[in-house]
Amino acid sequence: MSTFRVGVIGAGSIAQSHLTAYSENPDVDLVAVADMNLERAQAVAEKHGARRAYADPHELLADPEVDGVSICTWNNSHAEWAIAAIEAGKHVLVEKPIARTLAEAEELQRVVEKSDRVVQVGFVRRHSPNCQVLKSFIDADELGEIYYAKASCLRRVGNPGGWFADKEISGGGPLLDIGIHVLDLCWYLMGSPKVVAVSGNTYDKLGSRGNVTTMPRYKAADYDPSKNTVEDLANAVIRFENGASLLLDCSYSLHATKDSIDVSVYGEKGGAELEPSLHIATEMHDSVVNIEPQIASRTFEFGVGFGNEIQNFVDASLGRAESVAPAWHGVEIVRILEAIYESAASGREVTLG
């Protein structure tokens, strides 16, 4: 069996999920971790069994024993490090969003197209069993043509602060952080249609909500409630070349009675709710029928999703499978996200060629 030798750039929270999945994968030799904080890189490398730690990612990319890398840095350096890794001859798994802006994403895509390296974007929810089961139903035409979808991820108090709340680093707020996941799931299940028009809105009415101390929330290591330059809420109507449409909303902070997630698709023969739990609706013998696939879990499971994502990246890099999330998918999602921001800023629908 072939062994895939891996390095991880970045040692923050999302890197831990990559590192755990790599360390548990029998096809992987975890070689090195790089982080601008060398002490953190060394501690994380020791924890997960990596042999080396670097303070400079360039040193990791120059390491001849590394075949592929995961890029788990801040959003503003995703494209930069992905390009550097490709040019160093490495296969690349880059966390979402693939880039902070469309210009960065398209520059990366040009490099990808000139290379023979696998470049995969970290749309981890695609790899969840509930998503893959639903995708198998759709691919077998059980739902017919998908013409409508809803993607929603709403948090009452969820601004993580730190770099997540700094637009210069993150590129945006909940739209680029959590909204991207549900948007991508719907777009993937719809067959990745070409977007033609976007009408979006963003709101920054509530700020960081740092005054709320009675509810738990994930906080970035550099959390500062006084600093926030990203939106609280974004919504959009997205239209595609095939006539299908998608309704999206996402928030860090909203005066809602509960946090919620909703990913649903509707076709000519049937529809399905993927999140919060997989259920399929169809029509049989002139009756409406609900179907509940019997799988271990009908919702997204973090560890299983990352394990499957890493396995797909390894298999694609070793020539044993196709990547479930190729780089150009990441570019198209950034195209939609940027159009939402543009529409919100102009107050008008944005038409895309």
Side-chain angles (χ1 to χ4, degrees):
M1 180 176 290
S2 298
T3 298
F4 188 60
R5 301 173 301 177
V6 169
V8 175
I9 298 176
S13 58
I14 200 66
Q16 305 305 313
S17 297
H18 287 245
L19 287 158
T20 297
Y22 281 131
S23 65
E24 295 175 352
N25 191 308
D27 295 343
V28 168
D29 176 12
L30 186 52
V31 176
V33 176
D35 191 89
M36 58 185 177
N37 183 329
L38 181 58
E39 288 186 4
R40 180 166 68 171
Q42 290 170 333
V44 168
E46 182 178 354
K47 175 183 176 181
H48 293 281
R51 298 198 299 276
R52 292 188 283 280
Y54 297 107
D56 184 352
H58 290 104
E59 295 181 22
L60 185 150
L61 295 179
D63 190 330
E65 293 188 17
V66 172
D67 301 316
V69 297
S70 275
I71 297 171
C72 304
T73 57
W74 291 344
N75 294 353
N76 62 336
S77 61
H78 283 180
E80 172 190 349
W81 287 121
I83 290 171
I86 297 166
E87 292 177 342
K90 314 301 184 185
H91 300 289
V92 179
L93 172 56
V94 55
E95 260 302 329
K96 62 78 192 169
I98 198 168
R100 183 182 48 172
T101 67
L102 182 58
E104 292 173 353
E106 289 180 331
E107 179 185 2
L108 171 56
Q109 183 60 23
R110 286 191 289 270
V111 176
V112 171
E113 290 172 355
K114 295 177 182 178
S115 168
D116 64 351
R117 300 293 86 183
V118 169
V119 180
Q120 181 170 313
V121 60
F123 290 136
V124 66
R125 286 177 174 264
R126 293 188 181 194
H127 300 269
S128 181
N130 66 331
C131 180
Q132 289 302 308
V133 167
L134 178 53
K135 186 67 162 59
S136 71
F137 275 69
I138 292 172
D139 289 347
D141 199 36
E142 298 290 349
L143 274 61
E145 180 184 352
I146 306 297
Y147 59 87
Y148 179 52
K150 293 195 296 183
S152 179
C153 188
L154 303 176
R155 294 180 181 173
R156 293 185 289 173
V157 184
N159 189 320
W163 72 268
F164 289 95
D166 185 341
K167 188 175 181 179
E168 288 301 311
I169 298 174
S170 64
L175 185 59
L176 265 73
D177 182 25
I178 57 177
I180 188 174
H181 279 301
V182 291
L183 167 63
D184 174 68
L185 280 174
C186 285
W187 185 73
Y188 172 63
L189 294 169
M190 296 172 85
S192 308
K194 181 181 179 182
V195 61
V196 294
V198 173
S199 181
N201 302 280
T202 59
Y203 300 93
D204 57 358
K205 302 290 188 180
L206 304 182
S208 71
R209 303 288 296 283
N211 61 299
V212 178
T213 59
T214 56
M215 290 182 63
R217 74 173 90 178
Y218 168 74
K219 294 182 179 179
D222 55 343
Y223 178 81
D224 181 344
S226 69
K227 296 180 180 179
N228 180 62
T229 57
V230 299
E231 78 277 3
D232 307 328
L233 169 76
N235 63 40
V237 176
I238 302 158
R239 293 193 293 115
F240 300 100
E241 190 174 46
N242 61 359
S245 60
L246 191 161
L247 186 62
L248 167 71
D249 63 354
C250 55
S251 76
Y252 274 157
S253 289
L254 190 68
H255 290 307
T257 59
K258 61 180 180 179
D259 293 353
S260 62
I261 183 169
D262 176 22
V263 176
S264 303
V265 294
Y266 303 94
E268 294 176 319
K269 296 181 182 179
E273 179 183 273
L274 180 64
E275 295 291 352
S277 180
L278 176 58
H279 299 275
I280 298 171
T282 188
E283 186 177 311
M284 299 176 68
H285 312 297
D286 299 324
S287 295
V288 173
V289 177
N290 289 346
I291 301 171
E292 295 188 358
Q294 301 303 294
I295 56 178
S297 176
R298 290 201 297 269
T299 191
F300 175 68
E301 292 189 27
F302 213 79
V304 175
F306 273 98
N308 291 344
E309 177 182 56
I310 293 304
Q311 188 64 62
N312 181 233
F313 174 54
V314 171
D315 287 341
S317 299
L318 294 176
R320 303 191 302 214
E322 293 293 323
S323 171
V324 171
W328 75 267
H329 282 196
V331 176
E332 291 308 303
I333 291 296
V334 171
R335 190 183 312 279
I336 295 171
L337 297 174
E338 189 159 293
I340 294 172
Y341 284 125
E342 181 182 345
S343 174
S346 67
R348 299 178 180 179
E349 181 179 75
V350 171
T351 301
L352 301 170

